[in-house]
Structures are given as structure tokens and as C-alpha cells.
């Protein structure tokens, strides 16, 4: 039987990556909840974005990027983001 604990550790903490993804979207002026409610983002796409974030290996870079955006009105979506293509489509 497969140990899901090992897979979770490899991918990274789901809550941390959910927070990073939502924070990055917010910094870029995107409301993921509204996109879901309006049908512009499917629940499957959203879960794939979170999983891509968890496996992207860029959480430290993302956290530093978010810190640098504190005073920005609306940031451009960074190229390092594993969900950049979807986020740009939503913008």
C-alpha cells in the first residue's frame, strides 16, 4: 500500500501552497473565489493549480516575491509561478 504521508512531504504542505497561490493571485489583482463562482476557473483547474504549486519547488522564491509586492498596486504574474498561464488567462 502506498504511503500518502511520503507523497505529501514531497509535494509540500498543502495549506502553505494554497496560501501562496491565493496570495500571489491577490497581489496580481485576481480573485480566485470570484473566478470559481463565475465559472471562469473550474474546481479541477483550481486543484491542479494548488498541486502544481506544491510540486513547483519555488515556494521560497514565491514568498520573497510576495514580500516585495507589499506596496505594489497590482503586480505582474511572475514567470516562475507554476500556474502563471492560468492566472494570466484569468487576468
Amino acid at each position: 500500500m502506498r504511503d500518502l504521508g511520503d507523497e505529501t512531504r514531497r509535494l509540500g504542505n498543502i495549506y502553505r501552497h494554497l496560501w501562496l497561490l491565493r496570495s500571489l493571485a491577490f497581489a496580481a489583482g485576481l480573485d480566485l473565489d470570484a473566478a470559481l463562482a463565475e465559472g471562469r476557473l473550474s474546481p479541477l483547474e483550481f486543484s491542479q493549480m494548488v498541486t502544481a504549486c506544491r510540486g513547483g519547488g519555488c515556494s521560497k522564491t514565491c514568498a520573497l516575491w510576495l514580500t516585495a509586492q507589499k506596496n505594489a498596486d497590482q503586480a505582474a504574474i511572475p514567470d516562475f509561478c507554476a500556474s502563471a498561464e492560468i492566472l494570466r488567462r484569468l487576468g
Side-chain angles (χ1 to χ4, degrees), residues 4-71:
L4 295 179
D6 286 343
E7 183 175 316
T8 300
R9 282 187 287 281
R10 271 196 317 272
L11 285 176
N13 182 288
I14 192 168
Y15 298 109
R16 174 175 170 75
H17 292 278
L18 179 60
W19 179 84
L20 288 169
L21 177 62
R22 294 177 73 79
S23 296
L24 187 143
F26 181 79
L30 300 173
D31 182 341
L32 295 179
D33 291 330
L36 282 162
E38 295 163 2
R40 295 182 298 121
L41 179 66
S42 73
L44 177 60
E45 282 180 307
F46 182 69
S47 66
Q48 289 170 335
M49 290 170 68
V50 174
T51 301
C53 182
R54 292 177 71 199
C58 56
S59 63
K60 289 180 184 176
T61 302
C62 187
L64 290 171
W65 181 87
L66 286 168
T67 300
Q69 306 311 309
K70 292 283 185 196
N71 297 321

Side-chain angles (χ1 to χ4, degrees), residues 66-85:
L66 286 168
T67 300
Q69 306 311 309
K70 292 283 185 196
N71 297 321
D73 287 334
Q74 186 172 328
I77 296 161
D79 291 332
F80 66 77
C81 180
S83 298
E85 185 178 318

